[in-house]
Amino acid sequence: MESGRHRPRAGYELPLLLFAGFRTLIDGVHAELARQGHPDARPAHGFALQAIGPDGAAASDIARRLGISKQAAGKTVDRLVALGYAERSDDPADARRRLVRLTARGRDVLARSAAIFDTLRADWAAVLGEERLRALEDDLRAVTVPGAFRLDAAGWIGGTS
Amino acid sequence: MESGRHRPRAGYELPLLLFAGFRTLIDGVHAELARQGHPDARPAHGFALQAIGPDGAAASDIARRLGISKQAAGKTVDRLVALGYAERSDDPADARRRLVRLTARGRDVLARSAAIFDTLRADWAAVLGEERLRALEDDLRAVTVPGAFRLDAAGWIGGTS
DNA sequence: TCAGATGGTAAACCAGGTTGACCTTTCTGG
DNA sequence: CCAGAAAGGTCAACCTGGTTTACCATCTGA
């Protein structure tokens, strides 16, 4: 593999670059969402709304999908409800469960996010070329375990500032 | 650029892949650090220790380098001191400043982190090939602004669990 | 039928951020 | 030279997104 032809690269740069890329996309999406009528949407909300899904879910389902405790999921749902992105209703089939469903506004922010992510990806493709961007995606898939999407313990990425 | 030859890819996957890569590296480094005698090191500590640097720094310097408030930097320094990674001393040249310096243990964790990041990068290179990993790094540099390393508002990456 | 699994909530806590207010010390310009 | 601005630091209150422990209500199956 012909190593040694170039100056070796420091390993600590890799996480910084990955994070910078992630952060660039996330910040971009939220800047645009704010412009499109969703100034209060935060990164964590998107993940949670995604975890709820079109058919709704119980708080404990959300907790499992996100890899966090059910209490944390419950608090997040509280915030989504307060922001008008989700609503809670009783489950007629199981009196313990409280079904969380997306509101129209919740579906709206999700649809807009998806569209914005597509245009941001297109921006990257315009710089790198589609082939190279695909290679980047494929390579990342190759070195990560699929379960690395867990969201525990994180305030994440700005948003307040 | 011959697009259209493949199925289009959803834009929302890109941030997930970047994050998964970042998280894989960070988790890997901290798992290994824990094995090497640093079980209490957390991702935020590494960034802060890096910001202190070999010559020491004032809290407000750290704040500027990390893109956070000086109060937040002060609290982080408190934790580094409590963990034995840093120490505070008065600056004889300026009675307002309190110079923060790395302890031997702080230098140790930093050196170990760098070594572990190098081996993790080598693992990736073994899977992807050095050329392709370089391409990935170069591409990320091309699509991110250098300032995207800011660390504000984040509990980051697990570590508790 | 009843013991255990499951769903949900409450309370206390933590880490890592934020603002605002304030004091001390240094720098600077009239 | 000295007054006021700028810079360093800390305190206090607060926010968000997590955690653990404890507990109650409901469902399920041997």
Side-chain angles (χ1 to χ4, degrees):
Chain A
M1 308 264 178
E2 49 214 330
S3 52
R5 280 201 301 152
H6 310 277
R7 184 174 47 80
R9 297 197 181 186
Y12 70 84
E13 285 198 45
L14 197 43
L16 259 11
L17 287 167
L18 292 166
F19 180 68
F22 173 72
R23 171 97 197 221
T24 296
L25 292 173
I26 295 292
D27 285 357
V29 122
H30 282 89
E32 184 58 31
L33 278 179
R35 251 173 260 130
Q36 296 188 14
H38 293 285
D40 295 325
R42 310 249 297 110
H45 301 154
F47 290 103
L49 292 173
Q50 207 77 313
I52 293 172
D55 300 327
S60 47
D61 296 329
I62 300 169
R64 270 188 296 270
R65 290 174 195 170
L66 260 32
I68 60 179
S69 67
K70 57 183 180 174
Q71 295 91 327
K75 279 205 258 183
T76 299
V77 170
D78 287 344
R79 268 156 220 148
L80 292 177
V81 169
L83 288 168
Y85 289 134
E87 61 193 358
R88 264 191 262 244
S89 58
D90 289 338
D91 184 338
D94 186 338
R96 294 170 305 175
R97 301 185 101 216
R98 310 213 53 206
L99 195 58
V100 181
R101 285 200 310 268
L102 299 178
T103 61
R105 183 169 171 76
R107 285 186 294 274
D108 182 70
V109 73
L110 228 34
R112 288 178 188 276
S113 295
I116 299 165
F117 274 128
D118 284 343
T119 72
L120 291 175
R121 186 186 181 283
D123 292 345
W124 283 30
V127 175
L128 306 176
E130 176 67 24
E131 293 305 316
R132 234 164 128 144
L133 182 51
R134 274 170 199 272
L136 189 150
E137 291 168 336
D138 291 342
D139 286 352
L140 286 175
R141 252 185 284 269
V143 291
T144 55
V145 286
F149 289 0
R150 294 182 57 234
L151 293 240
D152 52 328
W156 303 102
I157 313 320
T160 310
S161 56
Chain B
M1 310 258 181
E2 49 212 335
S3 51
R5 282 201 300 151
H6 311 277
R7 184 174 49 79
R9 299 198 178 183
Y12 69 84
E13 286 197 46
L14 197 43
L16 259 11
L17 287 167
L18 292 166
F19 179 67
F22 173 71
R23 172 96 197 219
T24 297
L25 292 173
I26 295 292
D27 285 357
V29 125
H30 282 89
E32 185 58 31
L33 278 179
R35 250 174 262 129
Q36 296 188 13
H38 293 285
D40 296 324
R42 311 250 296 112
H45 301 155
F47 291 104
L49 291 174
Q50 206 78 316
I52 294 172
D55 300 327
S60 48
D61 296 329
I62 299 169
R64 269 188 297 271
R65 290 173 195 170
L66 260 30
I68 61 180
S69 66
K70 58 183 180 174
Q71 295 91 326
K75 281 206 254 184
T76 298
V77 170
D78 287 344
R79 266 154 222 147
L80 293 177
V81 169
L83 288 168
Y85 288 135
E87 61 192 0
R88 264 192 263 244
S89 57
D90 290 337
D91 183 340
D94 186 337
R96 295 170 304 175
R97 303 184 102 218
R98 309 213 52 209
L99 194 59
V100 181
R101 284 200 312 267
L102 301 178
T103 61
R105 183 169 171 78
R107 283 186 295 273
D108 181 70
V109 73
L110 228 34
R112 287 178 188 275
S113 295
I116 299 166
F117 274 128
D118 283 343
T119 72
L120 291 175
R121 186 185 181 282
D123 292 345
W124 284 30
V127 174
L128 306 176
E130 176 67 24
E131 292 306 316
R132 233 163 129 146
L133 183 50
R134 273 169 199 272
L136 189 151
E137 290 168 335
D138 291 341
D139 286 352
L140 285 175
R141 251 185 285 269
V143 291
T144 54
V145 287
F149 290 179
R150 293 182 57 235
L151 291 240
D152 52 327
W156 302 104
I157 314 321
T160 310
S161 55

